Amino acid sequence: MKLRALIHASELITGAGVSQKDGRHITEEDLGAIPDGALVYSTKVVQGKTLPHKVIWTGKTSELPRRFAKIPKKNLRMKHSLIPGFVDCHTHLVFAGNRADEFAARCGGATYQQIAEKGGGILKTVRATREATEKQLEALAVERVKKSASYGVRTFEIKSGYGLDFETELKILSVIKRLKTRFPEYTFSSTFLGAHAFPPEQSREAYMREILEHMLPEVARKKLADCCDVFIDAGYYTLAEGRAILQKARALRLQTRMHADELANTESAALAAELGSLSADHLLRISDRSITKLAPSNTVAVLLPGTAFYLKAPHAPARKLIEAGACVALATDFNPGTCMCLSLPTIMTIAALYLGMSRAEILSAVTYSGAKALGLQSRKGSLEKGKDADFAVLPFSSFEEAYYRFAW
Ligand code: NIG
Ligand code: FE
């Protein structure tokens, strides 16, 4: 087993306390911040690349045990913060085309819903994505993954949902599968979001049958997704439709997640908790009743404040959720309609300013809680002995500089 070490990190954040507290009621002490820290990790060789494997030891550089005296070391010269790699647990990063024209229309007063009713919105991206070849989609996705990783993201969730027909949904999921081979240094979690909107060419009932009887069984059989998501909202899927899809997904041994209470309150967050979904995402209009159901549950509240910002919508009640004991994650929701932003640090800036989240809450939201939203918390989200050595070396000496500078 070949070992490596990083030494003299200006600040090493292990997040050990965050995982012990399951990402709830997080304070600065839970970060386990160590000034002048060091990390020892094992390596593995994948496709000819030597990659970090498992965390072996963390502590102060001055206390590095003698048995590690001879291993290769990289000196961070007190200039870099060393943290658990970021997890972007909600993205739609496989799509073609863009919606710059709709952004301009929204800035001129049109609403997201008005644009969608005229055949724009998600359906505009569906048309472009259906036309694109798998190779073209892959090339676009590769550039986006590289950009996001440049900010310290090591684990990505990616949804389908811009196909809305069997062939294109499978094409998108195949692109996500190819990303896994293309980037062995990162982790990808893929989500089937066939229930993102209704396709124009078939009736609502026919498409529901297509998802339940055709798409989901095939996605599960071919192991093309880890998870199934539904956009439950006014003008999109109803609670009953969402329940039917997610129950079918569970029966096929897929995990579930949900776009919940984004454009209107539908009490969908409570349904996510009831169904044992990994996450309920957005929550801009979550009711106090749903907060009471969601907060103590194992369903992560995934907040996407870049979307509220970009839609000029009210922000999610982050403080209420945190104080009620919810495990709160933050993600980009990168997509061409409601958040054309790949920068997780920019999302952290918005969370600090508009969600009132502290440094400790933000760190935990983009590491441990993001990993939990993907069901990966036993391996990822903190730098503890035996867990994956999934770390990020920031180009700053303290973690908060990553979001104090914005849009870097
Ligand atoms: O997360 N809410 C549904 N889906 C996306 C928007 C997709 C789009 O407009 O293309 C979201 O906000
Ligand atoms: Fe989304």
Side-chain angles (χ1 to χ4, degrees):
M1 183 169 63
K2 292 223 164 76
L3 300 183
R4 299 266 165 93
L6 292 162
I7 57 170
H8 296 304
S10 50
E11 172 179 58
L12 163 65
I13 296 181
T14 65
V18 174
S19 72
Q20 264 156 34
K21 287 170 72 178
D22 192 32
R24 301 171 198 267
H25 297 295
I26 297 307
T27 61
E28 186 64 29
E29 294 74 68
D30 301 317
L31 298 189
I34 304 170
D36 194 356
L39 166 75
V40 179
Y41 59 94
S42 61
T43 58
K44 61 179 176 188
V45 179
V46 186
Q47 296 167 31
K49 285 189 191 173
T50 300
L51 302 175
H53 187 35
K54 295 286 175 192
V55 174
I56 303 291
W57 184 89
T58 56
K60 286 190 174 152
T61 304
S62 59
E63 291 169 9
L64 195 71
R66 257 184 212 193
R67 64 182 189 279
F68 301 131
K70 294 213 172 103
I71 66 175
K73 299 182 186 66
K74 186 172 165 130
N75 188 339
L76 301 180
R77 298 174 195 284
M78 298 299 281
K79 285 190 167 65
H80 298 273
S81 176
L82 175 59
I83 60 169
F86 294 140
V87 178
D88 193 349
C89 68
H90 182 140
T91 82
H92 304 247
L93 74 69
V94 182
F95 63 85
N98 76 59
R99 310 227 295 270
D101 54 340
E102 294 182 3
F103 178 69
R106 285 201 295 109
C107 295
T111 67
Y112 181 77
Q113 284 96 327
Q114 284 164 350
I115 291 168
E117 278 156 20
K118 288 191 191 135
I122 292 173
L123 293 185
K124 180 170 183 199
T125 305
V126 166
R127 289 190 290 275
T129 306
R130 285 180 180 178
E131 273 168 28
T133 64
E134 193 167 322
K135 276 234 150 356
Q136 287 167 332
L137 281 177
E138 186 182 332
L140 288 164
V142 162
E143 289 315 305
R144 292 169 188 156
V145 166
K146 286 185 188 162
K147 174 89 178 160
S148 169
S150 75
Y151 296 114
V153 174
R154 298 290 172 265
T155 303
F156 301 78
E157 187 264 4
I158 307 178
K159 302 173 198 297
S160 70
Y162 289 117
L164 307 185
D165 64 25
F166 193 78
E167 193 193 324
T168 319
E169 286 295 313
L170 257 55
K171 179 169 76 179
I172 299 170
L173 292 173
S174 305
V175 169
I176 304 171
K177 199 169 173 186
R178 301 251 322 134
L179 293 175
K180 296 187 189 186
T181 337
R182 188 115 181 207
F183 294 102
E185 61 274 54
Y186 307 137
T187 301
F188 296 89
S189 178
S190 64
T191 300
F192 170 65
L193 177 58
H196 196 191
F198 287 95
E201 65 275 2
Q202 17 180 344
S203 71
R204 196 174 178 106
E205 295 69 32
Y207 189 58
M208 274 297 290
R209 275 199 304 279
E210 167 105 6
I211 292 178
L212 292 171
E213 291 164 21
H214 198 189
M215 289 180 167
L216 263 175
E218 190 67 1
V219 166
R221 193 179 67 78
K222 288 195 171 154
K223 295 200 178 349
L224 277 173
D226 304 295
C227 219
C228 176
D229 194 342
V230 182
F231 184 18
I232 299 183
D233 222 312
Y236 293 87
Y237 288 75
T238 64
L239 263 188
E241 288 163 341
R243 183 191 284 273
I245 292 169
L246 297 180
Q247 277 175 341
K248 176 79 183 192
R250 283 292 288 269
L252 292 165
R253 299 180 182 280
L254 287 167
Q255 304 263 35
T256 61
R257 59 180 70 258
M258 193 190 284
H259 279 68
D261 300 329
E262 178 186 0
L263 306 172
N265 174 268
T266 57
E267 300 298 337
S268 40
L271 176 65
E274 181 199 317
L275 295 177
S277 288
L278 285 177
S279 68
D281 304 33
H282 285 289
L283 311 178
L284 304 188
R285 329 256 174 182
I286 188 173
S287 67
D288 287 350
R289 195 180 134 252
S290 278
I291 292 180
T292 316
K293 295 251 162 69
L294 184 64
S297 78
N298 257 322
T299 301
V300 176
V302 177
L303 305 186
L304 309 160
T307 303
F309 168 76
Y310 207 65
L311 288 176
K312 293 213 269 183
H315 281 283
R319 293 259 39 101
K320 270 194 186 176
L321 283 157
I322 290 169
E323 271 137 39
C327 174
V328 170
L330 287 166
T332 58
D333 192 23
F334 174 69
N335 76 78
T338 65
C339 194
M340 193 62 169
C341 171
L342 272 171
S343 163
L344 195 53
T346 301
I347 303 304
M348 298 181 213
T349 307
I350 303 174
L353 288 169
Y354 297 104
L355 299 185
M357 289 173 69
S358 69
R359 161 180 136 109
E361 289 162 350
I362 290 174
L363 187 282
S364 115
V366 291
T367 55
Y368 175 83
S369 305
K372 180 171 161 110
L374 304 180
L376 296 174
Q377 73 276 24
S378 63
R379 284 169 49 206
K380 311 215 174 268
S382 60
L383 295 171
E384 294 174 272
K385 192 173 174 206
K387 284 182 92 168
D388 290 359
D390 243 351
F391 54 79
V393 176
L394 296 179
F396 312 114
S397 57
S398 62
F399 159 65
E400 67 273 22
E401 277 186 70
Y403 63 91
Y404 143 69
R405 296 161 200 269
F406 78 99
W408 48 278

